[in-house]
């Protein structure tokens, strides 16, 4: 079975500081995709970053980067220079066998001014 | 261009009533997905369509749930005889191609409240 686990229900970070959100997953596939999605109060799911498992290099998108440890099945998200607009629920997701996404339960990120 | 739209945005219904939730995907997207997000839970995958076909309906929570897609475009998720445990946000996503890069674009969701 494919599963995604986010062990931090809530996190807090000071504006301009760096925060890391954790995610572990399980899959028997050798090639797969991993994602981080952001969900603000508007409910709109926004793709933050995507990682293809066969790529060794960690994905980066501006202030967002991942630490992908394939052997450990770990996929953490680092947000640098945190901004007030980064406050949201963050979901880690794994590409499923039906083309669907398998989500963790999310981490609520608060950003303090 | 227009993104994925869903209607209604919010729906309050009485227990036992039927409801229909609508999803308009991005034009040209062949794959469409429905998810359910319950309070305090992650997103639960319900069903996907490749064109008008839904090959696997096993993710639907019960036989009170059904979904269809017509013309390779609009999809409707129907819940019959609603129960309080059906209260959730129902999210729809569309994708240019099935099983390619999992590039899914989400709608804003429908918040369903069953009283």
């Amino acid at each position: 079975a494919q599963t995604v686990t986010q062990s931090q229900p809530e996190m807090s970070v000071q504006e301009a500081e760096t925060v890391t959100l954790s995610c572990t997953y399980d899959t028997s596939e050798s090639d797969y995709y991993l994602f981080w999605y952001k969900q603000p109060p508007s409910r709109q799911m926004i793709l933050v970053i995507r990682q293809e498992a066969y790529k060794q290099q960690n994905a980066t998108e501006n202030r967002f980067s991942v630490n992908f440890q394939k052997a450990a099945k770990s996929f953490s998200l680092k947000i640098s220079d945190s901004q007030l607009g980064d406050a949201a629920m963050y979901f880690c997701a794994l590409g499923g066998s039906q083309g669907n996404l398998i989500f963790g339960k999310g981490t609520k990120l608060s950003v303090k001014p | 261009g227009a993104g994925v739209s869903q209607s209604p945005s919010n729906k309050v219904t009485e227990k036992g009533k039927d409801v229909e939730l609508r999803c308009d995907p991005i034009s040209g997207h062949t794959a469409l997905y429905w998810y359910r997000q319950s309070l305090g839970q992650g997103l639960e995958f319900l069903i996907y369509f490749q064109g008008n076909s839904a090959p696997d309906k096993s993710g639907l929570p019960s036989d009170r749930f059904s979904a269809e897609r017509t013309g390779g475009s609009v999809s409707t998720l129907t819940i019959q005889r609603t129960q309080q445990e059906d209260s959730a946000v129902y999210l729809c996503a569309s994708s240019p191609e099935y099983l390619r890069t999992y590039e899914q674009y989400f709608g804003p969701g429908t918040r369903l409240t069953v009283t």
Side-chain angles (χ1 to χ4, degrees):
Chain A
Q2 296 175 297
T3 60
V4 176
T5 302
Q6 293 179 250
S7 58
Q8 305 155 316
E10 296 187 25
M11 291 284 284
S12 180
V13 64
Q14 204 72 33
E15 194 176 7
E17 296 294 306
T18 296
V19 64
T20 298
L21 308 184
S22 301
C23 173
T24 57
Y25 61 93
D26 193 20
T27 180
S28 58
E29 302 291 328
S30 58
D31 192 19
Y32 48 89
Y33 290 82
L34 291 160
F35 307 83
W36 279 97
Y37 276 86
K38 171 185 178 181
Q39 186 181 40
S42 66
R43 300 197 307 245
Q44 188 81 47
M45 295 287 283
I46 302 165
L47 177 63
V48 175
I49 200 163
R50 175 172 62 196
Q51 174 79 44
E52 298 171 70
Y54 71 87
K55 289 188 176 179
Q56 300 283 353
Q57 189 172 7
N58 288 327
T60 63
E61 287 288 341
N62 300 313
R63 297 182 295 108
F64 299 87
S65 63
V66 298
N67 182 4
F68 174 47
Q69 301 290 328
K70 190 173 183 179
K73 294 184 178 177
S74 171
F75 183 61
S76 61
L77 174 70
K78 185 171 82 171
I79 307 174
S80 303
D81 186 26
S82 297
Q83 301 176 0
L84 295 177
D86 294 333
M89 284 290 292
Y90 285 82
F91 292 94
C92 179
L94 168 68
S97 59
Q98 296 183 63
N100 58 305
L101 295 170
I102 300 163
F103 289 88
K105 292 192 175 182
T107 296
K108 182 177 182 180
L109 178 66
S110 301
V111 181
K112 298 179 180 178
Chain B
V4 178
S5 62
Q6 292 185 246
S7 60
S9 178
N10 293 282
K11 176 71 176 179
V12 180
T13 190
E14 292 180 354
K15 178 182 173 181
K17 300 283 189 183
D18 297 353
V19 294
E20 284 190 354
L21 312 180
R22 177 187 169 107
C23 173
D24 281 273
I26 293 172
S27 178
H29 280 197
T30 57
L32 186 147
Y33 305 84
W34 283 99
Y35 297 87
R36 179 171 72 174
Q37 184 175 21
S38 304
L39 186 63
Q41 301 294 318
L43 282 83
E44 173 190 8
F45 169 62
L46 300 179
I47 193 169
Y48 80 93
F49 288 88
Q50 177 60 11
N52 292 332
S53 174
D56 184 351
K57 300 180 181 180
S58 63
L60 294 175
S62 75
D63 58 9
R64 297 184 294 103
F65 287 71
S66 63
E68 66 175 13
R69 188 180 185 193
T70 56
S73 181
V74 172
S75 178
T76 302
L77 179 68
T78 301
I79 309 173
Q80 295 179 311
R81 305 181 302 281
T82 51
Q83 303 294 312
Q84 287 187 332
E85 60 262 29
D86 299 334
S87 296
V89 174
Y90 291 82
L91 291 165
C92 172
S94 70
S95 180
E97 291 184 68
Y98 171 68
L99 269 185
R100 286 286 288 175
T101 62
Y102 300 89
E103 186 178 353
Q104 296 189 17
Y105 298 82
F106 283 82
T110 293
R111 181 179 298 280
L112 175 66
T113 303
V114 182
T115 61

